[in-house]
Amino acid sequence: VSSLVPKEPTVSLKFGESKQLEVTINPKDANPPKIIWELSNPAYATITPDPADSSKATLVAGNTEGNLVINISTEDGTVTTIIAVNILDGDTGIFLSQDTITMRKSGSTTLTATSAKTPLTWISSNASILEVVPSANTLNATLNAKAEGVVTVTVDNGSKTAVCTVT
């Protein structure tokens, strides 16, 4: 097996929702290995592998807002991949693709927010160190590091906020 490719690399669920997940095993003619599905934080959700086909599993969101990662690997651990998961409290949750980012001066990266409620407001705690440029749909922002330092990026949807620390 050379790779495991998630059908959906990012999933967002509201409290109590479930979703069938699947990975594609490459090459297609490979002898299908047993796939292991593990949650980075089982307080947010449960994952149940399909007993007939370990390339599939069912994810069920709990009742706690948060982000987690599903680590997916072959049984021997030689091939791995991940699925990022956001658990949302109806229309009020807001989550960022990263909680912390390390950037070099003059570096640039994209930060993504997940929120059922838009538009979002993006704010840098120090615009002389970090410029934040939201996309037209406000769910993404480009971060441009102007100088060295530690800043926070706050995203607000009117009722909730999320913060990413940039160093």
Side-chain angles (χ1 to χ4, degrees):
V1 174
S2 61
S3 68
L4 299 172
V5 180
K7 199 173 212 179
E8 295 179 73
T10 304
V11 174
S12 295
L13 296 175
K14 292 180 184 173
F15 289 177
E17 285 185 330
S18 65
K19 177 115 181 127
Q20 176 78 25
L21 305 175
E22 184 176 355
V23 292
T24 300
I25 300 167
N26 291 316
K28 302 283 187 208
D29 61 353
N31 186 18
K34 181 176 180 188
I35 305 298
I36 306 298
W37 299 77
E38 295 179 318
L39 299 176
S40 64
N41 192 336
Y44 295 123
T46 59
I47 188 95
T48 306
D50 183 325
D53 181 355
S54 68
S55 71
K56 298 177 182 177
T58 301
L59 176 69
V60 179
N63 291 320
T64 303
E65 284 185 321
N67 300 323
L68 65 126
V69 172
I70 302 172
N71 297 295
I72 308 156
S73 64
T74 55
E75 188 172 32
D76 63 8
T78 58
V79 181
T80 64
T81 191
I82 64 166
I83 296 174
V85 179
N86 302 301
I87 306 298
L88 305 171
D89 177 13
D91 293 336
T92 61
I94 181 169
F95 299 96
L96 297 175
S97 56
Q98 299 177 70
D99 295 327
T100 59
I101 299 173
T102 301
M103 294 177 64
R104 294 178 191 249
K105 182 179 175 183
S106 302
S108 180
T109 191
T110 300
L111 188 60
T112 301
T114 301
S115 175
K117 187 175 179 182
T118 58
L120 303 178
T121 303
W122 296 77
I123 302 166
S124 171
S125 65
N126 188 335
S128 66
I129 294 175
L130 184 72
E131 175 188 38
V132 179
V133 182
S135 65
N137 71 8
T138 74
L139 292 175
N140 299 298
T142 301
L143 310 181
N144 299 309
K146 295 178 172 183
E148 292 184 17
V150 178
V151 297
T152 57
V153 176
T154 303
V155 185
D156 186 337
N157 70 2
S159 58
K160 294 268 183 154
T161 61
V163 176
C164 177
T165 302
V166 182
T167 57

